[in-house]
Each structure stands twice: as structure tokens, then as C-alpha cells.
Amino acid sequence: LRPHHTIITMASCASSSDGTCVNDGGLVSAFHGALAQLAFRLFYTDADQTASSNPQVARLISILLLSTAVLSLAALRLVNKDWHLWRDLKLTLEGVFDRVPDLASEVELPQLQLPEVSGNDKREINGNGATAASSKPPPRLVDALNPTVVQCYSPSDLVNLGTVPNLSAEQVSDLALRCKTAQQSWKDTTFAQRRRVLRTLQKYIVAHIDDICRLCAKDSGKTQVDALLGEILTTCEKIRTLLHHGETWLEPSRRDVNPMMMHKTAYVQYVPLGVLGIIAPWNYPFHNMLNHVLSGIFSGNGVVTKCSEHTSWSSVYFHSICRAALELNGFDPELIQLCTGMAETGKALVECPHVDKIFFTGSPNVGRHVMAGAAPHLKPVVLELGGKDAMVFCEDVKLKDVIPWAMRGCFQNCGQNCCGVERLFVYESIAKDFVDAIAEKVQNLRQGCPLSDNYIDCGAMVMDQQCTLVQALVDDAVAKGAKVHCGGKRNTSNGGQFY
């Protein structure tokens, strides 16, 4: 063993300029001296003299410098893990230097002519209900003489807006197959490329807020304020959230392993599922169109949306915005498809073999049919179903603070809201004060055509049968002893579907 030890010793010995041997200890000392000189040069002028004159100080300074560097890197890693500093810096630079195209010249939204309304012609609901007036019945969605198209009309004035195709099962399958083909290349795109598409949409939406709000008001009867809060604000916030957190959420997520598998590494990796089938409701046509499109394409999937037959007119335009954002950034617009039609069209989408997952928003009864249609294909479904949405007022509440929330819950978008309030439970000790206070506010609500006057609080109901349903509920309550303090019947003064 001795010769080997000697060879190792000799190999670790190098000659210095004066012929002496510099061993490992000398190398370490030289390393400490170099670091100390670096530290002194940063914080002290006589670096060379101080470092060379006192090796102990040099060693101490170098150790402190190394310790500071290591601790700083560890702290930066921990802070970045929680605060994602590198991600935020990357996204900031991406937003500043990676300019997105403008869709304004690629998308043509219909220019709506806003009727002039004189000051004495403003119509509103009051405590005595609406004045009687003739009201034509709403048009039928599907004409028996031409069942291949769906009629579109505005619920606030019953004006015909045009027609959209009533797609068959074969046509739905063809759209889904085209989406599936486009998804094969889209799933390999980077998160930066997907963010670019979303930022293109964001840029267009922010620049066309008024146009989008008017389209929503025309097609669904809601006020433009309701459209701003429920359509624009929610959609822009979803885009912002996906841009900021989407990539982080989809990164591989490590998992701990047990001692028997200590030689293994466990993690969850998120991969695109394929084609998502969306059956969207009618209450927020713009948001419901983009809601699943945004998260779907950002996660690498294709999206086929079946819009409501009651808001198909505006959905066609909103769909064109999404396709234009893809095409202008160099991607296949077939990744996003829109199905228009009646219930049979939605049924065909659920049962389509090219669709890998279904998202449905609607009633529990229809939700059961969706589950039954997807079950033979073992197709996963996500159901957002209606409830009774109770709001409870305890006896210690301050009425002036809580009544505005009750008003918003009950009357925002005429109550046609996923988080709307359908039941108000009030303690008996404060019931009279509560009813007196809220009845006064309801009596002062202004109702009218959302495109004729912005000074209104409530628009029209999307579906005429909803007015009939509300009337039946009111009549049933009155028959069982309830008292109507204001309203309680259709408002026919505006000529649309108002209650």
C-alpha cells in the first residue's frame, strides 16, 4: 500500500515558482485568498495588501463570503418557490416584448343601431305593476316548415335576429373530428404560444367592451351593466388568471414515496386529454362561450361548444373571435368548433366518439340525461347543476348593509345567475322591517329595453317560458297565503319578455 500512497502524494503536489511544493492545503489557502481579495475589492480599497498580509483574515472573509452566497441562493430558491419571482419576471418580459396581433380587422361584429328614447318615453316598473299593453307572442325557435335552422330573436323587443343551423348528429361528428385533428398538433405547443393566443383575445376584448356588451344585451335581454360585470369582467379575470398561474398549475407535481420505493421518483404529470365537449347555458352567452375555451386550449385540448339555442346569434360572433385569435397567431382555427341547434344537437355531442369529456351547465333533470348519454362510452362528465340558493338573515344583521346584497342576488340579470338567490330566509323578529325596506327598493327598480336606455336596472328574461314559470310560482304562493307587495305579473309595457 505504501507505493500507492506515495504516488498519490506526489500526484497532489505541484511545484511553485520558487521550487517549493504546494499541496492541497496550499491550494485551499490560495482559494481562500482569492475569495478574500474579491470581497476586499468590493468593500475595501487596499485589497491586495490586506488579503496577503493576514491569511487568517483572508480565510475568515472567504468563508463568510461563501456562506452569504450559499444562504442567499437558498433564500432566493425558497422565496421563488412561494412567490414565483422567476415566473413573474418571465411573464413581464413576455408581455413587454412579445407584441400580440390586433384582431380588429379580422373580426366583424354587427353594428347595432341604438334607438333614440325621449325623456318622457322611458318605461319602468313600479309598485303597481306594469300597465296593460298588447304583446305579440315570441317567435318559435324551430319552424316546422324549415326544421334545419333555428330562429334567433331578441327577448327585449322580439325582433328577429336571423337564423343558425340546427345541426344533425352527422354534422356534430364532423366538427368534432376536425377539432380532434387540429388538437394533435396543438397539444405540442408551448405555454408561451398558448399565452400568446390568450393575450390576443384579451387585447381584443378590452378594446371592444361596448360592442360585446351590446351584443349580449341584444341577444339575452340583460342590461349593459350586467353584461359588463357578468360577461366582460369575469372573462378578463379568467384570462389574467390563466396567464399568471396556468403554467404553474400544469407543471409536474412531485409526490413523496415510501421506504420500499425510495429508489423511485413519483410525480403527477398533466397531459392534454383530447377534445372537450361543452354544453353551455344561456344566461351569459359571451362568458359561457369563452369560459371553457380559454382553459381548454391553454391545457392543450380542443373544444367543441354547443351553445344555447336561445343565445346562438351572439355566440356565432363570439366564436369567430376565438378562431381569429388562433389563425392570426399561426395555428389551426379548427381547434375550436361551435355547434348550434336544439336538444338533439347537444345529445349528439355527448354521445360523439370523438369527444373525450363533457362539461354541462344546466338543470339536474338534463344533467341526468347527459350522464346517461356519456356512460356507455365511459366518458367523464362535469356537471354544474341548479339549486335553491338560499340566503339567510339572522336577527342581529344590520338591514341597511345586507339588503343591497339581497337585491343583487335576486335581481342581477333578472335572477338568471349561477350564484343568484332563490330563497330569502328571514328571522321572524326582523321580518316586517326587512319586507318594508326591501319592498321600497324593488318598487323603485327601473325596467326596460337594455339598448334603448342605460338608466335601467332590469332587462328581459331570456326565455318566455321562464316568465310563465315565475308567474306560476307567484300565483301558487298567493294561493297559499302570500301577499304581493309590488309587481307580481308580466310587464307588457315594453313589448318583450319582461316580468
Side-chain angles (χ1 to χ4, degrees):
L1 294 177
R2 182 65 180 176
H4 294 283
H5 176 72
T6 305
I7 293 174
I8 294 173
T9 304
M10 291 176 64
S12 62
C13 181
S15 296
S16 64
S17 58
D18 57 358
T20 60
C21 179
V22 181
N23 57 20
D24 288 343
L27 290 174
V28 172
S29 297
F31 175 72
H32 284 305
L35 284 179
Q37 285 192 15
L38 174 62
F40 279 124
R41 288 184 186 279
L42 292 175
F43 304 107
Y44 192 62
T45 55
D46 298 330
D48 294 333
Q49 180 179 358
T50 306
S52 59
S53 62
N54 196 332
Q56 289 77 14
V57 173
R59 181 184 294 269
L60 178 61
I61 294 298
S62 66
I63 292 175
L64 290 175
L65 183 62
L66 280 174
S67 301
T68 303
V70 171
L71 291 175
S72 298
L73 289 175
L76 183 61
R77 180 178 176 83
L78 290 175
V79 170
N80 183 65
K81 184 178 180 180
D82 293 333
W83 294 357
H84 303 288
L85 299 179
W86 167 244
R87 178 202 64 186
D88 293 345
L89 176 61
K90 179 180 67 173
L91 294 178
T92 300
L93 295 175
E94 190 177 283
V96 170
F97 295 105
D98 185 19
R99 297 295 182 179
V100 296
D102 189 356
L103 295 180
S105 60
E106 304 294 327
V107 179
E108 293 185 8
L109 298 180
Q111 298 300 314
L112 302 179
Q113 298 296 326
L114 305 183
E116 296 292 336
V117 180
S118 60
N120 56 6
D121 192 36
K122 295 178 182 178
R123 297 166 176 171
E124 58 187 49
I125 189 170
N126 53 45
N128 298 321
T131 57
S134 61
S135 176
K136 61 180 179 179
R140 296 177 60 88
L141 291 179
V142 178
D143 189 345
L145 299 177
N146 189 11
T148 61
V149 297
V150 177
Q151 301 288 332
C152 303
Y153 68 94
S154 174
S156 57
D157 54 16
L158 305 184
V159 171
N160 187 282
L161 300 175
T163 61
V164 296
N166 187 10
L167 298 183
S168 64
E170 292 77 12
Q171 292 171 311
V172 171
S173 179
D174 177 65
L175 292 179
L177 181 58
R178 286 152 61 180
C179 176
K180 184 177 182 178
T181 302
Q183 191 267 341
Q184 295 305 307
S185 59
W186 175 257
K187 67 181 181 181
D188 297 324
T189 55
T190 65
F191 287 115
Q193 291 173 312
R194 299 172 192 177
R195 280 194 296 268
R196 182 175 174 83
V197 174
L198 264 60
R199 288 195 293 115
T200 303
L201 286 169
Q202 184 184 49
K203 179 179 180 179
Y204 180 87
I205 294 170
V206 172
H208 295 80
I209 291 176
D210 290 339
D211 296 331
I212 295 172
C213 286
R214 291 190 188 105
L215 283 179
C216 294
K218 186 69 174 178
D219 200 20
S220 65
K222 62 169 55 71
T223 67
Q224 294 184 57
V225 172
D226 282 336
L228 181 65
L229 294 176
E231 310 270 15
I232 301 295
L233 179 63
T234 51
T235 302
C236 287
E237 174 57 20
K238 180 151 193 175
I239 294 177
R240 187 204 65 81
T241 301
L242 287 172
L243 291 176
H244 197 69
H245 300 288
E247 183 176 356
T248 303
W249 290 340
L250 295 176
E251 288 176 345
S253 178
R254 296 185 66 88
R255 295 292 188 269
D256 295 331
V257 296
N258 58 49
M260 291 183 63
M261 303 296 290
M262 64 175 59
H263 60 291
K264 297 288 187 180
T265 299
Y267 61 92
V268 176
Q269 184 168 354
Y270 302 96
V271 297
L273 184 62
V275 176
L276 309 180
I278 313 301
I279 302 180
W282 36 262
N283 53 349
Y284 291 100
F286 179 70
H287 173 261
N288 295 339
M289 165 59 63
L290 271 72
N291 182 26
H292 297 291
V293 168
L294 295 171
S295 55
I297 65 174
F298 190 84
S299 54
N301 298 293
V303 181
V304 182
T305 302
K306 160 60 174 73
C307 63
S308 170
E309 58 269 27
H310 298 281
T311 53
S312 298
W313 177 73
S314 61
S315 297
V316 172
Y317 293 103
F318 301 148
H319 173 66
S320 67
I321 300 173
C322 300
R323 290 175 65 94
L326 284 168
E327 189 170 15
L328 209 57
N329 284 287
F331 302 108
D332 191 350
E334 299 294 335
L335 183 71
I336 301 174
Q337 300 290 344
L338 175 67
C339 297
T340 56
M342 303 298 289
E344 289 301 316
T345 304
K347 181 175 182 292
L349 181 63
V350 172
E351 299 175 354
C352 179
H354 304 307
V355 176
D356 300 294
K357 188 172 184 177
I358 295 294
F359 291 80
F360 169 77
T361 304
S363 68
N365 183 49
V366 179
R368 296 186 184 95
H369 291 289
V370 171
M371 291 186 69
H377 307 277
L378 298 178
K379 188 178 301 183
V381 298
V382 175
L383 306 178
E384 180 189 345
L385 308 178
K388 296 309 171 189
D389 310 323
M391 191 173 187
V392 181
F393 298 86
C394 300
E395 52 190 350
D396 60 345
V397 299
K398 297 179 180 179
L399 292 181
K400 64 181 181 62
D401 294 333
V402 297
I403 283 182
W405 291 102
M407 292 290 293
R408 180 182 177 183
C410 292
F411 294 103
Q412 181 179 348
N413 198 20
C414 291
Q416 303 167 117
N417 194 3
C418 294
C419 55
V421 178
E422 295 188 31
R423 301 283 192 278
L424 298 178
F425 291 101
V426 184
Y427 269 69
E428 188 174 4
S429 59
I430 61 171
K432 184 179 184 306
D433 293 337
F434 181 90
V435 171
D436 291 343
I438 201 168
E440 180 182 0
K441 289 187 175 295
V442 176
Q443 288 172 349
N444 292 325
L445 287 177
R446 298 160 297 184
Q447 190 174 47
C449 179
L451 292 181
S452 298
D453 190 358
N454 274 327
Y455 296 98
I456 58 173
D457 302 301
C458 294
M461 304 287 283
V462 176
M463 296 180 290
D464 184 70
Q465 55 263 43
Q466 285 297 109
C467 293
T468 303
L469 174 61
V470 173
Q471 187 65 64
L473 292 173
V474 172
D475 293 343
D476 177 70
V478 171
K480 293 177 180 177
K483 177 183 177 181
V484 177
H485 291 264
C486 58
K489 56 185 176 182
R490 283 179 181 257
N491 179 5
T492 58
S493 64
N494 295 292
Q497 296 168 179
F498 296 91
Y499 192 92

